Amino acid sequence: MATERVRVRCVLVFGDSDAALAYLETPWHPARSPLSWPAAQIAAQAGLPANELPGREFWADAGHAPDDSLTLSGFLLVHDPRL
């Protein structure tokens, strides 16, 4: 499965703890129709609490699963002040 590095922006996080969903603007999903993704996965990979995701931009590796659904992994902050 080939992947490409893409820039995504978290528009909103909705829900409680591990079940929370992050709504992402991606190259294929405009802000008016964002992609929902587990906030816990993004938070763990980026090293941030889930409540700090909205408004942030991330680099992610985008690919396609065997069923042709979008996969995202390797979330990193675009502008990480900790570096």
Side-chain angles (χ1 to χ4, degrees), residues 1-77:
M1 169 177 71
T3 62
E4 66 178 297
R5 198 72 155 156
V6 297
R7 197 166 176 158
V8 301
R9 185 174 69 90
C10 182
V11 178
L12 170 74
V13 172
F14 185 78
D16 294 324
S17 63
D18 293 337
L21 290 175
Y23 291 87
L24 304 176
E25 180 180 358
T26 75
W28 309 278
H29 301 88
R32 69 181 179 280
S33 182
L35 172 71
S36 60
W37 203 262
Q41 178 187 358
I42 301 168
Q45 291 177 8
L48 292 172
N51 67 337
E52 291 186 18
L53 299 179
R56 305 260 183 150
E57 293 183 333
F58 302 89
W59 292 111
D61 296 318
H64 287 88
D67 66 355
D68 207 34
S69 62
L70 179 66
T71 62
L72 295 173
S73 62
F75 289 90
L76 295 171
L77 271 173

